[in-house]
Amino acid sequence: MEDERSVVELMRSWGVSEEVVERVSRLWGKSAARNGGRMHVLLGHLLDTAAVAGVMWDRYLAPSLRWRLDEISGGRGRAWFMWVCALHDCGKACPAFQGLDAVEAAPVRAAGLGWGRVPAGKRWRHDVAGGALLRARLLEEWGDAEVVGWVWPLVAGHHGAFPSVSALRPPYPDALGRGRAWAEVQRVVVDVVTRVVGFGGVAAVRPVSSLGKAEQLALSGLIVMADWIASDSRSFPGLADAGVVSPAGACRRAEVAWRGLGFRGGWGGLAVPSSALVPLSGRLGVVPRASQRELVEQAWLLPVPGLLVAEAPMGEGKTKGALAAAEVLAARFGFDGVFVAMPTQATSDPMYEQVLEWVRSFDPALESQVALLHGKRRSNRLWRQIWEEGRAAGAESDSPWDDYGAIEEDDEFGWPGGTCGGDAGAERSGPPVWFLGPKRGLLTPFAVGTVDHLLYAATRTRHVMLRFAGLMGKVVIVDEVHAADVYMRQFLLEALRWLGQAGVPVVLLSATLPPAQRQAFVNAYLSGAVASADVDQPVPEPAGYPCVTAAFAVEGRPVVSSSRVPVPSWRESVPTRIEWLPDTDVDGTVVAEAARKAAAGGGVVLVVVNQVDRAQAVYRALREGGFDGVLHLLHGRLCTAHRAERTEECLRAMGPGAGGARPDRMVVVATQLAEQSFDVDADLLITDLAPVDLLLQRIGRLHRHAGTRRPAVHAVPRVLVTGVAAGASGRPRFLSASEKIYELWPLLRAAALVAEVAGPLPGAGAAGGTGTGTWSIPADVPGLVARAYGEDDVCPKEWGEPAARAAWRSEEGKRRAKAEELLLTRPREWGTATLEGLHYGGSSAVGEEDLDAVVRDGDRGVEVVIVHRVRGGYTAWEGSRLGVHGEVLDEAVVERLLGGCVRLPLGLSEEAGQLRPLPGWAGHPWLRYAPALVLEDGWADLGGARVSYDDAEGLLVKHV
């Protein structure tokens, strides 16, 4: 692509007739109406895209992917990548596209390329036309339907969905063009691209081997990325004269655009660590614990990229071990970055800070390449500091319609035109804000975010290839992997299948993983690795706990191993006393009194309950009862700002570095937010009953850190289990909210296992167990989890466990089937070798909120922004003045306004659907889709409820 000659000169030098040169030169690729007022000839856009692909190869693609493309192209991976990216729009060389704009069509017709009238309702998308055109040409040149079969969908799917081969049939005779004139120009368009990138002819491009389907999906996403970048009219202004379009000129344009976007890759060629444990002891600065050493050593032992499942107690340091393992895997196998998937937004923020510090240790400049992927990232202080420059430039937009350059000339989806923000050609020193747009976040070299972003890449949704391309060059770490429910787990399993086939290393972390789930994760990854739907490779029983399971495939043969010798935990197992605190009243008085009594002589008490109303009631009872220590309330109906502030306060007072900041007397009342990735240390835990794995997660916040000073009364860890009381025939009664969240059978099993050590529930008669009083934590964790989800009955007969189990399994089956409808591949589809027809019956969801509904079962409630109506206009939740119609001119006020986001309860979803953004928010990218909850005199009426917001208690709902 160094030739300074124009494409017109090149065509002439290759012996193309003047007539055909003229016709090819008239083909348009971008209309003036949708390209900043300047038409861009088709060959210009194709060469721009090829040039962008060349820069991506040099500075962005992971070494592992470059190696694979070199492998399948006989060592010409860069040219092959440029070729397939450039040909994405070859389908525009046909009447179905050239006739879309009457102004641009006139010179094409005048050059001798004609067509008839388009029949009503018979439009043909140019991506599909490109698949048809290229498929025919490649069959002619390559003569191998199998190889052609995986290449043509890369072009046909570049607008986000992969059609079936039957869709390649033109819907009317003139769609692809009839006669010699059209055949000649289509042939020359392909030839120009082929020769410009360095091949002597189309026959020379034929791959010597095939990519796997998952690798094809990632490659397709990179084609889309190259197209979107090359479609920006500010960096690539239209060239209406083919006589000024040249390969060298396209390369210069691509270089300027790349610098302006601030792109760079991740590690590139990461050096192999000098010794086995340097990633732990040197880079992370930790004294390696046995479980961390085991995980890193297993990363060294893998002969090929594979799956590592690390199980270790809460507080063991699994995440640091996973980061160290990721460095080893990336260095050994040529991966360029990391994606760390967390269960929630709240757990993503502290992990983002940890990953930032880790990435800086490789190169401080990489800090700007670390993305935080969740809807509340603007509330994260560090993220704002790092990305402030990009936001100030006006380049950030989270609008679902901001699809970078609006590449759809036929406007199929109704997206408006647009360009990227910032000054075209101006070199950026800050973060690459292009990645902030929809669907692009995982393309950042390093990313931390909710597990949803991994699950999105396993859905049959438009542009899923962009998300998967972002995973292809990374090591993927999934923390708290047990937290996915049965519905979400189907998408996680599907993601593991695709990652296994793509050869992406994955590290799964959990403290409480049921054995059946471990086996399912291993089978899913290996199913991808060996391209079979029926892999069932038994996982050997680990020698102990902690443990690491490794799974990989060598020459199509699945291999699984587990830790062969016991791995000691970093701390001795401690007898943890388990006691009952019977109570199923939402008013919280029993729990509040127990917390007050426990903290009376000093100590830090953590209360975890299963519903927000109960948490608010416990907090209210403590506050109104005169509790004189430090008191905090943490739940999901706090506004974004309060939730972040209180989480930080709790971590400061109860975290590993609390030291002298730890209060003498403190109670934290929380919901399930405190259940995972919440690194605090409580002296005593009061918790509502939950399924055993989740109950153990909560116990993981108890006596968590070494060296914490505690009052003598709390020297022995102690748990009070509440949210349950004795019922008829000794069968437990549970909070109705608990049954709704977790279902009956897991709660019955949990109650039975607790009763074995705590004795029968008071008033439960003879039901119960031995009442030995303690669980040994962490030694008992794997056995308790295995029993909780095992096949053997653990409940007394009078509890009716068989019926509860049957109901639970029936419901689980329904949720599993519901998820399967939206998985990326249909059942039994792993035998297919190409992407052809992948989007048959797929979801049309395009926005993040739509995708939330795809990967999470059930309504999550509507998120609203709290504002107050005052005389002359509105204020934000904390008092910042807005305009008469809610206008916000100061970005600092926008930050404070968005700090007032809160999610309404599910019961108000229908009423909340009537809420709208304030009129003054229409032009703001972060506010124009945000419903406003307008409080007048502190209250708002929503259907049959009155809603308010209290700074201490959060969102209050009173039903009238």
Side-chain angles (χ1 to χ4, degrees):
M1 294 271 298
E2 298 178 358
D3 204 317
E4 293 285 356
R5 290 178 295 174
S6 73
V7 290
V8 171
E9 294 172 296
L10 289 172
M11 285 187 286
R12 287 171 178 160
S13 72
W14 297 330
V16 179
S17 71
E18 284 297 325
E19 182 182 47
V20 175
V21 169
E22 174 70 11
R23 289 170 177 168
V24 173
S25 299
R26 294 297 182 188
L27 296 174
W28 62 276
K30 302 285 182 184
S31 66
R34 295 182 55 80
N35 194 54
R38 299 174 65 176
M39 187 271 272
H40 196 27
V41 295
L42 177 59
L43 285 178
H45 177 57
L46 300 189
L47 265 59
D48 286 342
T49 309
V52 169
V55 180
M56 287 171 61
W57 176 278
D58 296 337
R59 304 180 203 171
Y60 178 78
L61 264 62
S64 57
L65 183 55
R66 295 202 302 267
W67 299 340
R68 279 293 287 136
L69 292 177
D70 271 336
E71 185 180 354
I72 64 103
S73 64
R76 305 191 67 179
R78 187 177 189 271
W80 200 92
F81 179 61
M82 294 169 69
W83 177 81
V84 74
C85 287
L87 284 180
H88 74 285
D89 265 357
C90 66
K92 289 183 175 179
C94 69
F97 178 83
Q98 293 296 312
L100 288 174
D101 186 294
V103 173
E104 312 298 359
V108 179
R109 285 182 178 275
L113 292 171
W115 58 86
R117 186 176 61 85
V118 177
K122 294 290 186 180
R123 291 174 64 182
W124 199 31
R125 285 172 24 190
H126 71 264
D127 50 346
V128 180
L133 189 157
L134 191 64
R135 180 173 180 267
R137 178 70 185 276
L138 297 184
L139 284 171
E140 172 193 334
E141 297 270 358
W142 295 354
D144 187 332
E146 185 176 330
V147 176
V148 173
W150 71 263
V151 174
W152 72 256
L154 300 175
V155 167
H158 82 268
H159 275 243
F162 298 100
S164 61
V165 70
S166 61
L168 302 187
R169 187 179 303 109
Y172 56 94
D174 261 1
L176 193 57
R178 288 187 291 183
R180 181 178 60 83
W182 276 108
E184 286 176 337
V185 298
Q186 289 163 356
R187 192 173 192 86
V188 169
V189 165
V190 174
D191 287 343
V192 168
V193 169
T194 302
R195 298 187 68 166
V196 161
V197 300
F199 292 101
V202 174
V205 188
R206 177 181 171 177
V208 298
S209 60
S210 297
L211 292 175
K213 186 162 59 177
E215 294 169 319
Q216 297 166 32
L217 186 67
L219 176 57
S220 173
L222 294 170
I223 294 170
V224 174
M225 179 178 173
D227 180 24
W228 285 12
I229 293 171
S231 293
D232 174 30
S233 61
R234 297 178 67 170
S235 294
F236 297 89
L239 300 174
D241 180 2
V244 298
V245 173
S246 71
C251 288
R252 285 191 290 271
R253 285 153 64 97
E255 286 284 348
V256 171
W258 195 263
R259 289 197 302 272
L261 289 167
F263 282 3
R264 59 164 290 168
W267 287 312
L270 185 62
V272 175
S274 58
S275 65
L277 297 180
V278 161
L280 274 170
S281 57
R283 188 171 307 286
L284 289 165
V286 301
V287 177
R289 295 169 177 170
S291 61
Q292 294 171 327
R293 286 198 304 270
E294 175 74 0
L295 178 53
V296 173
E297 287 168 1
Q298 288 295 328
W300 282 105
L301 290 172
L302 284 176
V304 293
L307 172 71
L308 297 174
V309 184
E311 299 170 63
M314 297 72 72
E316 185 78 14
K318 292 185 291 295
T319 305
K320 282 187 167 63
L323 293 177
E327 179 180 350
V328 172
L329 294 167
R332 292 185 62 216
F333 300 120
F335 290 85
D336 200 39
V338 168
F339 173 52
V340 182
M342 303 298 294
T344 63
Q345 293 178 357
T347 56
S348 297
D349 283 345
M351 182 55 60
Y352 172 67
E353 298 180 19
Q354 186 173 335
V355 171
L356 263 180
E357 183 178 355
W358 177 64
V359 167
R360 288 188 193 111
S361 71
F362 294 95
D363 179 356
L366 287 174
E367 174 189 79
S368 65
Q369 307 296 312
V370 185
L372 177 60
L373 304 181
H374 67 66
K376 296 293 179 297
R377 62 189 175 198
R378 284 187 67 148
S379 299
N380 183 283
R381 173 183 50 82
L382 271 175
W383 186 86
R384 288 202 311 271
Q385 288 174 358
I386 294 170
W387 293 77
E388 187 70 32
E389 178 182 341
R391 290 174 49 245
E396 179 185 353
S397 171
D398 270 12
S399 162
W401 305 112
D402 171 32
D403 253 305
Y404 202 79
I407 56 176
E408 299 285 352
E409 277 293 340
D410 46 4
D411 200 22
E412 180 193 355
F413 307 115
W415 291 335
T419 61
C420 75
D423 296 327
E427 186 162 1
R428 293 187 50 80
S429 59
V433 296
W434 186 87
F435 291 123
L436 296 177
K439 308 173 186 176
R440 306 172 218 160
L442 282 176
L443 292 165
T444 322
F446 304 93
V448 179
T450 56
V451 71
D452 302 58
H453 290 271
L454 174 61
L455 307 185
Y456 297 159
T459 59
R460 203 177 324 124
T461 49
R462 191 171 294 277
H463 288 117
V464 67
M465 67 282 289
L466 269 176
R467 303 181 192 279
F468 196 78
L471 297 171
M472 182 69 183
K474 295 180 175 64
V475 180
V476 175
I477 299 171
V478 187
D479 201 2
E480 310 281 9
V481 70
H482 60 272
D485 63 19
V486 67
Y487 181 87
M488 295 173 66
R489 201 177 307 136
Q490 305 316 304
F491 296 99
L492 179 55
L493 292 170
E494 179 74 353
L496 289 173
R497 293 185 194 102
W498 283 85
L499 293 171
Q501 189 176 79
V504 172
V506 178
V507 183
L508 305 181
L509 307 176
S510 178
T512 55
L513 189 65
Q517 288 189 31
R518 180 202 303 139
Q519 183 68 62
F521 294 148
V522 165
N523 286 345
Y525 189 89
L526 291 176
S527 290
V530 302
S532 171
D534 297 315
V535 172
D536 185 8
Q537 189 72 17
V539 176
E541 185 67 27
Y545 177 77
C547 64
V548 176
T549 300
F552 54 91
V554 177
E555 297 180 350
R557 181 175 58 88
V559 181
V560 182
S561 64
S562 290
S563 298
R564 297 178 181 177
V565 297
V567 178
S569 176
W570 74 275
R571 60 178 178 179
E572 295 289 331
S573 287
V574 176
T576 300
R577 187 158 188 84
I578 311 295
E579 303 173 12
W580 290 117
L581 178 65
D583 175 47
T584 56
D585 291 331
V586 178
D587 67 12
T589 54
V590 171
V591 174
E593 181 57 31
R596 181 185 294 107
K597 182 178 177 181
V604 174
V605 178
L606 175 62
V607 178
V608 183
V609 296
N610 293 343
Q611 64 184 127
V612 173
D613 291 345
R614 183 163 157 88
Q616 290 173 325
V618 172
Y619 173 86
R620 194 179 306 123
L622 282 164
R623 185 182 60 187
E624 294 174 356
F627 177 70
D628 60 353
V630 178
L631 182 61
H632 283 302
L633 176 63
L634 190 60
H635 59 71
R637 286 190 219 155
L638 292 172
C639 70
T640 301
H642 282 154
R643 185 165 158 178
E645 289 168 4
R646 297 202 193 153
T647 300
E648 280 193 26
E649 289 170 2
C650 290
L651 291 171
R652 206 162 35 238
M654 304 167 64
R662 188 177 177 88
D664 293 330
R665 187 163 49 255
M666 178 178 181
V667 175
V668 175
V669 183
T671 57
Q672 292 91 333
L673 294 180
E675 193 170 87
Q676 52 203 4
S677 299
F678 189 51
D679 193 8
V680 298
D681 183 335
D683 296 323
L684 178 129
L685 172 69
I686 304 174
T687 174
D688 279 347
L689 186 73
V692 164
D693 53 333
L694 305 182
L695 187 62
L696 289 167
Q697 287 287 338
R698 298 176 188 185
I699 294 174
R701 317 304 128 191
L702 182 63
H703 287 227
R704 183 181 179 94
H705 301 139
T708 302
R709 290 181 297 175
R710 310 181 197 281
V713 69
H714 296 303
V716 175
R718 181 165 158 254
V719 181
L720 302 182
V721 180
T722 187
V724 59
S729 302
R731 176 171 168 159
R733 290 185 294 108
F734 306 109
L735 287 163
S736 59
S738 298
E739 281 200 45
K740 185 175 182 181
I741 297 167
Y742 302 119
E743 299 186 48
L744 179 61
W745 182 67
L747 292 174
L748 287 173
R749 304 274 286 192
L753 292 173
V754 169
E756 289 181 354
V757 292
L761 273 160
T770 60
T772 56
T774 64
W775 281 339
S776 182
I777 303 295
D780 287 346
V781 168
L784 286 167
V785 174
R787 292 185 64 201
Y789 291 96
E791 294 297 320
D792 296 337
D793 289 347
V794 299
C795 301
K797 288 184 178 180
E798 57 269 25
W799 288 13
E801 180 181 359
R805 179 194 283 116
W808 179 78
R809 286 182 173 168
S810 173
E811 184 61 28
E812 294 277 284
K814 291 176 184 177
R815 298 181 69 197
R816 187 180 297 110
K818 181 179 177 182
E820 287 174 353
E821 296 174 2
L822 294 168
L823 295 181
L824 185 48
T825 42
R826 297 185 291 276
R828 314 295 300 174
E829 202 175 49
W830 274 105
T832 61
T834 79
L835 299 171
E836 185 258 323
L838 184 67
H839 278 83
Y840 172 80
S843 169
S844 60
V846 293
E848 300 298 302
E849 288 300 320
D850 295 321
L851 278 170
D852 283 347
V854 171
V855 301
R856 290 184 182 266
D857 194 16
D859 193 348
R860 297 182 62 201
V862 176
E863 192 170 65
V864 297
V865 177
I866 299 170
V867 296
H868 292 274
R869 191 190 301 275
V870 296
R871 185 187 299 272
Y874 301 89
T875 68
W877 65 281
E878 41 66 76
S880 295
R881 187 77 190 196
L882 310 179
V884 174
H885 302 292
E887 299 89 346
V888 184
L889 301 178
D890 185 345
E891 283 298 305
V893 175
V894 173
E895 300 290 349
R896 294 194 289 272
L897 184 62
L898 290 171
C901 288
V902 67
R903 195 173 293 276
L904 295 175
L906 291 178
L908 297 179
S909 294
E910 185 174 344
E911 294 83 354
Q914 307 303 313
L915 300 178
R916 296 290 181 268
L918 294 181
W921 296 354
H924 197 284
W926 283 84
L927 296 173
R928 57 184 167 184
Y929 301 110
L933 179 65
V934 181
L935 304 181
E936 298 193 47
D937 297 324
W939 291 90
D941 292 319
L942 283 179
R946 300 205 74 205
V947 180
S948 184
Y949 189 86
D950 180 83
D951 285 348
E953 295 187 29
L955 193 76
L956 301 175
V957 179
K958 295 184 177 181
H959 294 278
V960 295

mmCIF file of all heavy atoms in Angstrom, residues 790-811:
data_model
loop_
_atom_site.group_PDB
_atom_site.id
_atom_site.type_symbol
_atom_site.label_atom_id
_atom_site.label_comp_id
_atom_site.label_asym_id
_atom_site.label_seq_id
_atom_site.Cartn_x
_atom_site.Cartn_y
_atom_site.Cartn_z
ATOM 1 N N GLY A 790 -26.326 -31.468 46.448
ATOM 2 C CA GLY A 790 -26.203 -32.875 46.108
ATOM 3 C C GLY A 790 -27.547 -33.560 45.942
ATOM 4 O O GLY A 790 -28.621 -32.950 46.049
ATOM 5 N N GLU A 791 -27.502 -34.857 45.714
ATOM 6 C CA GLU A 791 -28.702 -35.638 45.454
ATOM 7 C C GLU A 791 -29.317 -36.221 46.729
ATOM 8 O O GLU A 791 -30.503 -36.527 46.765
ATOM 9 C CB GLU A 791 -28.380 -36.781 44.486
ATOM 10 C CG GLU A 791 -27.982 -36.305 43.088
ATOM 11 C CD GLU A 791 -29.114 -35.558 42.406
ATOM 12 O OE1 GLU A 791 -30.290 -35.977 42.532
ATOM 13 O OE2 GLU A 791 -28.833 -34.539 41.748
ATOM 14 N N ASP A 792 -28.523 -36.393 47.765
ATOM 15 C CA ASP A 792 -29.032 -37.016 48.989
ATOM 16 C C ASP A 792 -29.911 -36.049 49.765
ATOM 17 O O ASP A 792 -29.616 -34.855 49.867
ATOM 18 C CB ASP A 792 -27.872 -37.460 49.883
ATOM 19 C CG ASP A 792 -27.025 -38.546 49.241
ATOM 20 O OD1 ASP A 792 -27.547 -39.240 48.350
ATOM 21 O OD2 ASP A 792 -25.843 -38.676 49.617
ATOM 22 N N ASP A 793 -31.010 -36.586 50.332
ATOM 23 C CA ASP A 793 -31.863 -35.763 51.178
ATOM 24 C C ASP A 793 -31.104 -35.359 52.441
ATOM 25 O O ASP A 793 -30.349 -36.155 53.015
ATOM 26 C CB ASP A 793 -33.117 -36.536 51.588
ATOM 27 C CG ASP A 793 -34.072 -36.737 50.414
ATOM 28 O OD1 ASP A 793 -33.869 -36.076 49.379
ATOM 29 O OD2 ASP A 793 -35.009 -37.543 50.552
ATOM 30 N N VAL A 794 -31.299 -34.119 52.863
ATOM 31 C CA VAL A 794 -30.693 -33.667 54.114
ATOM 32 C C VAL A 794 -31.748 -33.160 55.104
ATOM 33 O O VAL A 794 -31.443 -32.919 56.261
ATOM 34 C CB VAL A 794 -29.637 -32.558 53.871
ATOM 35 C CG1 VAL A 794 -28.514 -33.057 52.994
ATOM 36 C CG2 VAL A 794 -30.274 -31.307 53.291
ATOM 37 N N CYS A 795 -32.970 -33.013 54.637
ATOM 38 C CA CYS A 795 -34.028 -32.459 55.491
ATOM 39 C C CYS A 795 -34.826 -33.580 56.154
ATOM 40 O O CYS A 795 -34.952 -34.685 55.599
ATOM 41 C CB CYS A 795 -34.983 -31.592 54.665
ATOM 42 S SG CYS A 795 -34.205 -30.212 53.820
ATOM 43 N N PRO A 796 -35.374 -33.309 57.330
ATOM 44 C CA PRO A 796 -36.299 -34.268 57.938
ATOM 45 C C PRO A 796 -37.479 -34.551 57.000
ATOM 46 O O PRO A 796 -37.886 -33.695 56.210
ATOM 47 C CB PRO A 796 -36.761 -33.549 59.211
ATOM 48 C CG PRO A 796 -35.676 -32.560 59.508
ATOM 49 C CD PRO A 796 -35.153 -32.123 58.178
ATOM 50 N N LYS A 797 -38.034 -35.734 57.079
ATOM 51 C CA LYS A 797 -39.107 -36.134 56.166
ATOM 52 C C LYS A 797 -40.302 -35.197 56.226
ATOM 53 O O LYS A 797 -40.955 -34.935 55.208
ATOM 54 C CB LYS A 797 -39.544 -37.561 56.480
ATOM 55 C CG LYS A 797 -38.516 -38.612 56.076
ATOM 56 C CD LYS A 797 -39.043 -40.013 56.331
ATOM 57 C CE LYS A 797 -38.023 -41.078 55.884
ATOM 58 N NZ LYS A 797 -38.518 -42.457 56.114
ATOM 59 N N GLU A 798 -40.599 -34.717 57.448
ATOM 60 C CA GLU A 798 -41.799 -33.894 57.580
ATOM 61 C C GLU A 798 -41.672 -32.521 56.902
ATOM 62 O O GLU A 798 -42.641 -31.770 56.827
ATOM 63 C CB GLU A 798 -42.139 -33.700 59.068
ATOM 64 C CG GLU A 798 -41.033 -33.095 59.904
ATOM 65 C CD GLU A 798 -40.135 -34.151 60.532
ATOM 66 O OE1 GLU A 798 -40.035 -35.277 59.983
ATOM 67 O OE2 GLU A 798 -39.541 -33.846 61.589
ATOM 68 N N TRP A 799 -40.482 -32.207 56.410
ATOM 69 C CA TRP A 799 -40.310 -30.916 55.727
ATOM 70 C C TRP A 799 -40.753 -30.970 54.263
ATOM 71 O O TRP A 799 -40.839 -29.937 53.610
ATOM 72 C CB TRP A 799 -38.846 -30.475 55.788
ATOM 73 C CG TRP A 799 -38.400 -30.019 57.150
ATOM 74 C CD1 TRP A 799 -39.045 -30.190 58.337
ATOM 75 C CD2 TRP A 799 -37.183 -29.325 57.453
ATOM 76 N NE1 TRP A 799 -38.322 -29.663 59.366
ATOM 77 C CE2 TRP A 799 -37.165 -29.122 58.858
ATOM 78 C CE3 TRP A 799 -36.102 -28.891 56.700
ATOM 79 C CZ2 TRP A 799 -36.117 -28.469 59.495
ATOM 80 C CZ3 TRP A 799 -35.055 -28.237 57.339
ATOM 81 C CH2 TRP A 799 -35.065 -28.028 58.723
ATOM 82 N N GLY A 800 -40.998 -32.143 53.734
ATOM 83 C CA GLY A 800 -41.472 -32.244 52.348
ATOM 84 C C GLY A 800 -40.429 -31.859 51.312
ATOM 85 O O GLY A 800 -40.749 -31.223 50.301
ATOM 86 N N GLU A 801 -39.201 -32.303 51.536
ATOM 87 C CA GLU A 801 -38.128 -31.917 50.628
ATOM 88 C C GLU A 801 -38.322 -32.419 49.199
ATOM 89 O O GLU A 801 -38.064 -31.656 48.238
ATOM 90 C CB GLU A 801 -36.771 -32.386 51.159
ATOM 91 C CG GLU A 801 -35.618 -32.006 50.236
ATOM 92 C CD GLU A 801 -34.274 -32.491 50.735
ATOM 93 O OE1 GLU A 801 -34.195 -33.117 51.809
ATOM 94 O OE2 GLU A 801 -33.287 -32.240 50.023
ATOM 95 N N PRO A 802 -38.759 -33.660 48.950
ATOM 96 C CA PRO A 802 -38.887 -34.135 47.566
ATOM 97 C C PRO A 802 -39.774 -33.246 46.706
ATOM 98 O O PRO A 802 -39.448 -32.956 45.544
ATOM 99 C CB PRO A 802 -39.463 -35.538 47.725
ATOM 100 C CG PRO A 802 -38.968 -35.985 49.075
ATOM 101 C CD PRO A 802 -39.021 -34.752 49.925
ATOM 102 N N ALA A 803 -40.901 -32.810 47.259
ATOM 103 C CA ALA A 803 -41.794 -31.947 46.476
ATOM 104 C C ALA A 803 -41.146 -30.599 46.199
ATOM 105 O O ALA A 803 -41.272 -30.044 45.086
ATOM 106 C CB ALA A 803 -43.108 -31.750 47.227
ATOM 107 N N ALA A 804 -40.442 -30.070 47.199
ATOM 108 C CA ALA A 804 -39.764 -28.784 47.006
ATOM 109 C C ALA A 804 -38.669 -28.902 45.963
ATOM 110 O O ALA A 804 -38.480 -28.008 45.126
ATOM 111 C CB ALA A 804 -39.181 -28.300 48.337
ATOM 112 N N ARG A 805 -37.941 -30.041 45.977
ATOM 113 C CA ARG A 805 -36.890 -30.246 44.988
ATOM 114 C C ARG A 805 -37.482 -30.331 43.585
ATOM 115 O O ARG A 805 -36.952 -29.749 42.631
ATOM 116 C CB ARG A 805 -36.107 -31.517 45.292
ATOM 117 C CG ARG A 805 -35.011 -31.794 44.255
ATOM 118 C CD ARG A 805 -34.454 -33.206 44.346
ATOM 119 N NE ARG A 805 -33.534 -33.354 45.465
ATOM 120 C CZ ARG A 805 -33.741 -34.143 46.513
ATOM 121 N NH1 ARG A 805 -34.878 -34.857 46.582
ATOM 122 N NH2 ARG A 805 -32.848 -34.244 47.469
ATOM 123 N N ALA A 806 -38.585 -31.052 43.436
ATOM 124 C CA ALA A 806 -39.216 -31.198 42.120
ATOM 125 C C ALA A 806 -39.672 -29.844 41.580
ATOM 126 O O ALA A 806 -39.499 -29.546 40.389
ATOM 127 C CB ALA A 806 -40.391 -32.167 42.223
ATOM 128 N N ALA A 807 -40.263 -29.027 42.450
ATOM 129 C CA ALA A 807 -40.711 -27.702 42.017
ATOM 130 C C ALA A 807 -39.524 -26.832 41.600
ATOM 131 O O ALA A 807 -39.579 -26.097 40.601
ATOM 132 C CB ALA A 807 -41.487 -27.030 43.149
ATOM 133 N N TRP A 808 -38.438 -26.920 42.374
ATOM 134 C CA TRP A 808 -37.244 -26.138 42.070
ATOM 135 C C TRP A 808 -36.653 -26.555 40.726
ATOM 136 O O TRP A 808 -36.316 -25.710 39.898
ATOM 137 C CB TRP A 808 -36.225 -26.328 43.191
ATOM 138 C CG TRP A 808 -34.941 -25.590 42.999
ATOM 139 C CD1 TRP A 808 -34.709 -24.265 43.201
ATOM 140 C CD2 TRP A 808 -33.683 -26.148 42.570
ATOM 141 N NE1 TRP A 808 -33.394 -23.955 42.921
ATOM 142 C CE2 TRP A 808 -32.745 -25.089 42.537
ATOM 143 C CE3 TRP A 808 -33.275 -27.434 42.218
ATOM 144 C CZ2 TRP A 808 -31.423 -25.289 42.164
ATOM 145 C CZ3 TRP A 808 -31.949 -27.638 41.842
ATOM 146 C CH2 TRP A 808 -31.037 -26.568 41.810
ATOM 147 N N ARG A 809 -36.550 -27.862 40.499
ATOM 148 C CA ARG A 809 -35.981 -28.339 39.241
ATOM 149 C C ARG A 809 -36.852 -27.968 38.049
ATOM 150 O O ARG A 809 -36.352 -27.660 36.962
ATOM 151 C CB ARG A 809 -35.770 -29.844 39.312
ATOM 152 C CG ARG A 809 -34.585 -30.221 40.199
ATOM 153 C CD ARG A 809 -34.344 -31.710 40.227
ATOM 154 N NE ARG A 809 -33.103 -32.015 40.942
ATOM 155 C CZ ARG A 809 -32.742 -33.228 41.327
ATOM 156 N NH1 ARG A 809 -33.539 -34.256 41.060
ATOM 157 N NH2 ARG A 809 -31.608 -33.414 41.964
ATOM 158 N N SER A 810 -38.147 -27.996 38.237
ATOM 159 C CA SER A 810 -39.049 -27.608 37.161
ATOM 160 C C SER A 810 -38.844 -26.140 36.786
ATOM 161 O O SER A 810 -38.759 -25.795 35.599
ATOM 162 C CB SER A 810 -40.503 -27.845 37.588
ATOM 163 O OG SER A 810 -41.397 -27.335 36.626
ATOM 164 N N GLU A 811 -38.739 -25.305 37.792
ATOM 165 C CA GLU A 811 -38.536 -23.875 37.541
ATOM 166 C C GLU A 811 -37.167 -23.620 36.908
ATOM 167 O O GLU A 811 -37.039 -22.804 35.994
ATOM 168 C CB GLU A 811 -38.669 -23.094 38.845
ATOM 169 C CG GLU A 811 -38.582 -21.581 38.690
ATOM 170 C CD GLU A 811 -39.676 -21.009 37.817
ATOM 171 O OE1 GLU A 811 -40.771 -21.612 37.743
ATOM 172 O OE2 GLU A 811 -39.429 -19.955 37.184
#
